[in-house]
Amino acid sequence: MGFELDRFDGDVDPDLKCALCHKVLEDPLTTPCGHVFCAGCVLPWVVQEGGCPARCRGRLSAKELNHVLPLKRLILKLDIKCAHAARGCGRVVKLQQLPEHLERCDFAPARCRHAGCGQVLLRRDVEAHMRDACDARPVGRCQEGCGLPLTRGEQRAGGHCCARALRAHSGALQARLGALHKALKKEALRAGKREKSLVAQLAAAQLELQMTALRYQKKFTEYSARLDSLSRCMAAQPGGKGEETKSLTLVLHRDSGSLGFNIIGGRPSVDNQDGSSSEGIFVSKIVDSGPAAKEGGLQIHDRIIEVCEHWLVSFNRLNATPSSSCPRQDLWSGRGA
């Protein structure tokens, strides 16, 4: 809504004035068409009219208004009189320092804090008024039976009506109790919302923890099986201390073009000098309900020797068949047969 021109020390540049309120710009906003107005002036106008207040009348929305920070910094450096100059304050401060000055200005209006007074005075005079002049200040207690505080005005009048004072005191206590009950209810609602939010966060964290544990358990199981299979692979090499192999032939009938198993191939690593790895093609996966999954069919880690006419499979099998394929780094990825 702008600052009054007569509050500034000296003349103000016309470019620093709002075209709507004709005062010095307060929190200036600019339109896309280049016009500048006070935020408190232009926002209601744009919301109601939907256009620029200047003669161009360009269409715009409140979202298109932008702050002019360099212009705002320039205005904040102007010298301005205190807002309480009419009450006697003669201070002139920079506009950016005005809020701090108003917080402690001795000429700001302040209300007497004694219940029942409500007189508005200068801030610098409030303490002296409450201590010496206020008729609502307590000066003792009633000796007529109610025991309530007696004000200076009541003392000068010869006392007060105890029944009326008790009713007023009871009403004040009821009002305070109602305010406390309302504040307690509001705080309980806030605490309830906070509790629900924390419970939801805790449930989400527990679910994430469970999912992470399951993922790691699955990986651990897979790695354990692969290590076990690797041990069996190494034990099955020629000259190794392992199980003997036997050759078998199995007849499979294709189901939808597939024999129902995946294979994985490998060869000895160049860096492997101990001869512990083997070369060949092995069964890496058996498709459920496929031709190879029937009783007496293929098993994981059977070594495929030959496939004839797409349905006759010759393979070697360890007497104690491992549970999964040999996980060497020189194996190539499994393929469906």
Side-chain angles (χ1 to χ4, degrees), residues 52-128:
C52 178
R55 292 182 179 180
C56 67
R57 300 297 180 184
R59 303 298 298 175
L60 78 154
S61 65
K63 295 181 180 179
E64 298 177 87
L65 298 171
N66 295 305
H67 289 278
V68 191
L69 296 182
L71 184 59
K72 183 176 181 179
R73 286 194 291 265
L74 180 62
I75 295 173
L76 289 176
K77 294 179 180 179
L78 296 177
D79 293 325
I80 189 171
K81 300 176 184 177
C82 177
H84 308 305
R87 292 187 172 90
C89 183
R91 289 290 304 276
V92 176
V93 298
K94 297 295 183 183
L95 182 55
Q96 61 187 358
Q97 299 171 348
L98 183 61
E100 181 182 355
H101 167 71
L102 293 177
E103 286 290 330
R104 50 187 176 83
C105 180
D106 289 337
F107 294 87
R111 190 179 298 274
C112 176
R113 296 188 296 276
H114 285 317
C117 179
Q119 187 174 348
V120 178
L121 309 130
L122 298 181
R123 179 180 289 161
R124 66 179 185 178
D125 298 332
V126 169
E127 295 300 328

Side-chain angles (χ1 to χ4, degrees), residues 192-251:
K193 291 181 180 179
R194 178 63 176 167
E195 182 182 3
K196 289 181 179 179
S197 176
L198 291 175
V199 169
Q201 293 178 23
L202 179 60
Q206 289 178 338
L207 179 61
E208 179 65 22
L209 181 61
Q210 292 175 356
M211 296 299 294
T212 303
L214 289 174
R215 287 195 296 269
Y216 279 106
Q217 183 179 4
K218 182 178 179 181
K219 287 183 177 295
F220 178 77
T221 303
E222 293 176 354
Y223 291 148
S224 298
R226 292 174 66 181
L227 287 173
D228 183 63
S229 176
L230 179 60
S231 300
R232 293 176 181 275
C233 286
M234 295 176 64
Q237 303 308 311
K241 299 177 181 180
E243 302 86 343
E244 297 179 355
T245 61
K246 58 182 178 180
S247 299
L248 302 172
T249 301
L250 180 68
V251 178

Side-chain angles (χ1 to χ4, degrees), residues 7 21 27 45-46 61 65-66 126 158 172 176 179 181 199 205 245 247 249 261 263-264 269 286-287 292 309 329:
R7 291 185 56 190
C21 66
D27 193 13
W45 178 286
V46 170
S61 65
L65 298 171
N66 295 305
V126 169
R176 186 178 179 185
H181 180 72
V199 169
T245 61
S247 299
T249 301
F261 65 93
I263 59 175
I264 188 169
S269 173
I286 304 295
V287 180
E309 301 297 335
Q329 292 183 354

Side-chain angles (χ1 to χ4, degrees), residues 312-326:
L312 188 62
V313 179
S314 297
F315 59 93
N316 287 335
R317 174 176 297 168
L318 296 174
N319 288 338
T321 304
S323 60
S324 62
S325 61
C326 182

Side-chain angles (χ1 to χ4, degrees), residues 20 23 30 69 77 82 134-135 137 160 188 192 213 240-241 259 266 274 285 296 301 314:
L20 279 175
K23 301 177 183 178
T30 181
L69 296 182
K77 294 179 180 179
C82 177
C134 182
D135 284 342
R137 77 179 191 275
H160 65 192
K241 299 177 181 180
L259 293 176
D274 59 4
K285 180 180 178 182
H301 203 62
S314 297

